[in-house]
Amino acid sequence: METGKKIKYLEGIRGVAAILVVLHHFLLAFFPAYYFGGDPKTAHLPHQLELLYWQNPLSVITNGEFMVALFFVLSGYVLSRSYFQKPELETLVSGASRRFLRLYIPLAFALILAFIVLRCSFGLIPKTVSITNSNWLSETVPGDHSIKTFLSHLLYLTMFNIDGTYVTSTWTISIEFYGSIMVFALLALTHRTRAKWIPFITTGLVAYFGFNDVYIAFIIGICLNYLERIPLDSIKLRWLWVSLLLIIGLFMGGFPTWQWNPERETFYHFATAPWLVNNSRTIHLLGAALVIIAAMLSKTFQKIFSGKLFIFLGDISFSAYLIHPVIIATISLWVFLTMLNATHHYSLSVFISLLATIVATSIVAKLMTVFIDKPGVRFSKYVYTRFFKPKEEASA
């Protein structure tokens, strides 16, 4: 296990998850039946391949809710790891005092860019919706484009109210912020407590049943730190445990978010009990935890996801996650409509649009990471050092 500030293979997993969220939203725009199932008439591929994909566990590859679950579990683990390595209150104060700016600066940039794009979108979204029949795409556009409404989302709604009006992916930011503060506060309150697992479990249950079920992901992430105390070589049949955890985790991650069309049941038709159907997000959260545990136990997994491509994806993951809906609403739709007019071939036009989306998202996300995200991180550290860090330490 690495001891640096960033764990390479976890950054790689985060990067892959971010790119799969991009693919998830792209497919929602052009092949909505792949995720929602529903009326076969909304399918665009031959032999209704979208519906076949929707019906089987392989749909985990592009299950956006599962990828978001991975983000939250990873956040709980990574944010608390520094404290477990160096259990000092100052570590928690530092993380908590920097968290708002670390999230808000890139978020604000994405919202401003989205507002500008929506004011100059030239009707690309309604034109595309009339062809793709994607209700999701039509609902990504706010009904009110006024500056007053935009400012309300920029200043407080998106950051504090689980709102994704201007950038559909930003509904997670407020959860990420509150979950982060919960992690730091819980660790501070249990700073000198020996049986930390008791308040961890209690807080997790209260958050799950009293607020939002997704917050249990952050508690699970905290608890994953205890796995580092187990020497990997001491685990018998470790390859078998890793395989089982990975298979079960991905199986749970493929559990359908939207259910159920009675005429086209999915592979999970055996799990139709209301308490399962109504708690797909909990199933995804638990599945995400199992996948991350498998990664923590597998040296092979860690080596693969520490590769240069995965590290690059991890480096731009936050920017790509925030900015890709803007790319889809502009470049992706424009390329699709242009190619469709030229070729009259739906699938080919979508494929060319996908290539353009990946390239554009990578370039813009890299620029945003270099000029917005990383400077924002440095600025948050400066604010902490200037206003929150104890004087004797600041001058040391």
Side-chain angles (χ1 to χ4, degrees):
M1 187 68 66
E2 299 175 46
T3 58
K5 290 185 178 181
K6 288 190 176 182
I7 310 173
K8 289 183 179 180
Y9 75 90
L10 292 184
E11 286 295 298
I13 293 174
R14 194 194 305 274
V16 171
I19 291 301
L20 292 180
V21 169
V22 175
L23 181 59
H24 162 64
H25 285 145
F26 179 88
L27 293 177
L28 282 180
F30 297 102
F31 299 114
Y34 107 92
Y35 188 69
F36 296 105
D39 188 351
K41 294 179 182 179
T42 63
H44 297 284
L45 290 173
H47 311 297
Q48 300 175 0
L49 292 178
E50 302 106 303
L51 294 174
L52 293 176
Y53 179 70
W54 168 71
Q55 288 178 301
N56 72 80
L58 289 177
S59 60
V60 65
I61 298 172
T62 50
N63 190 320
E65 186 174 272
F66 176 64
M67 300 306 157
V68 170
L70 283 170
F71 292 148
F72 290 147
V73 175
L74 282 172
S75 288
Y77 172 56
V78 173
L79 290 173
S80 58
R81 186 169 182 266
S82 296
Y83 172 78
F84 277 90
Q85 290 183 324
K86 188 179 181 181
E88 298 178 356
L89 286 177
E90 186 59 31
T91 302
L92 303 176
V93 174
S94 172
S97 61
R98 289 155 41 195
R99 197 59 178 164
F100 173 79
L101 288 176
R102 195 274 172 262
L103 294 173
Y104 183 73
I105 290 175
L107 169 66
F109 175 79
L111 290 174
I112 293 170
L113 185 60
F115 175 70
I116 295 172
V117 165
L118 288 174
R119 302 277 287 195
C120 310
S121 61
F122 306 109
L124 290 175
I125 290 178
K127 288 179 183 177
T128 306
V129 170
S130 67
I131 300 170
T132 68
N133 300 315
S134 173
N135 290 329
W136 172 86
L137 184 59
S138 63
E139 292 172 357
T140 60
V141 183
D144 185 353
H145 292 176
S146 69
I147 294 178
K148 180 181 178 180
T149 299
F150 163 69
L151 289 177
S152 66
H153 287 87
L154 175 67
L155 297 177
Y156 64 91
L157 284 179
T158 305
M159 190 67 197
F160 299 110
N161 202 39
I162 313 181
D163 178 84
T165 300
Y166 275 86
V167 180
T168 187
S169 58
T170 59
W171 68 270
T172 63
I173 298 300
S174 56
I175 293 177
E176 175 68 29
F177 178 63
Y178 293 137
S180 301
I181 299 303
M182 180 182 69
V183 167
F184 296 130
L186 182 58
L187 291 174
L189 290 172
T190 60
H191 177 53
R192 295 193 179 277
T193 303
R194 286 187 296 174
K196 293 181 184 291
W197 60 272
I198 296 177
F200 287 170
I201 293 177
T202 303
T203 302
L205 292 175
V206 171
Y208 183 87
F209 291 105
F211 296 93
N212 192 317
D213 56 358
V214 76
Y215 289 116
I216 198 172
F218 294 89
I219 304 298
I220 293 173
I222 295 175
C223 295
L224 291 183
N225 284 277
Y226 290 102
L227 283 177
E228 293 194 22
R229 301 179 181 181
I230 304 175
L232 294 184
D233 294 334
S234 68
I235 302 175
K236 297 181 179 180
L237 298 176
R238 180 158 49 93
W239 65 270
L240 179 59
W241 286 109
V242 170
S243 300
L244 289 175
L245 288 168
L246 190 59
I247 292 171
I248 296 173
L250 292 176
F251 182 79
M252 296 175 72
F255 192 79
T257 302
W258 302 95
Q259 335 202 14
W260 237 279
N261 183 338
E263 297 178 357
R264 302 191 66 83
E265 292 180 335
T266 71
F267 176 85
Y268 298 85
H269 62 84
F270 59 87
T272 56
W275 66 274
L276 287 173
V277 174
N278 297 328
N279 289 281
S280 63
R281 185 159 60 185
T282 301
I283 296 173
H284 294 152
L285 291 171
L286 296 176
L290 295 181
V291 169
I292 295 172
I293 292 173
M296 294 176 67
L297 297 179
S298 173
K299 293 181 180 179
T300 301
F301 200 113
Q302 294 171 18
K303 183 177 180 180
I304 292 173
F305 281 86
S306 296
K308 291 183 179 180
L309 175 60
F310 296 111
I311 295 302
F312 170 76
L313 294 177
D315 185 52
I316 67 169
S317 59
F318 189 43
S319 296
Y321 178 79
L322 287 176
I323 209 66
H324 77 270
V326 180
I327 302 295
I328 291 175
T330 52
I331 295 174
S332 304
L333 302 190
W334 179 81
V335 171
F336 167 74
L337 293 173
T338 301
M339 291 301 301
L340 188 63
N341 289 333
T343 65
H344 303 287
H345 193 291
Y346 190 92
S347 297
L348 177 61
S349 302
V350 173
F351 178 72
I352 299 300
S353 178
L354 176 60
L355 294 179
T357 301
I358 294 173
V359 173
T361 300
S362 299
I363 293 174
V364 175
K366 181 61 177 178
L367 293 173
M368 181 177 169
T369 299
V370 172
F371 295 106
I372 304 296
D373 190 23
K374 289 185 177 180
V377 172
R378 291 193 293 270
F379 180 68
S380 69
K381 291 181 179 178
Y382 166 78
V383 171
Y384 162 70
T385 303
R386 180 69 176 82
F387 298 102
F388 297 99
K389 195 171 185 179
K391 290 184 177 180
E392 62 275 14
E393 295 187 19
S395 60

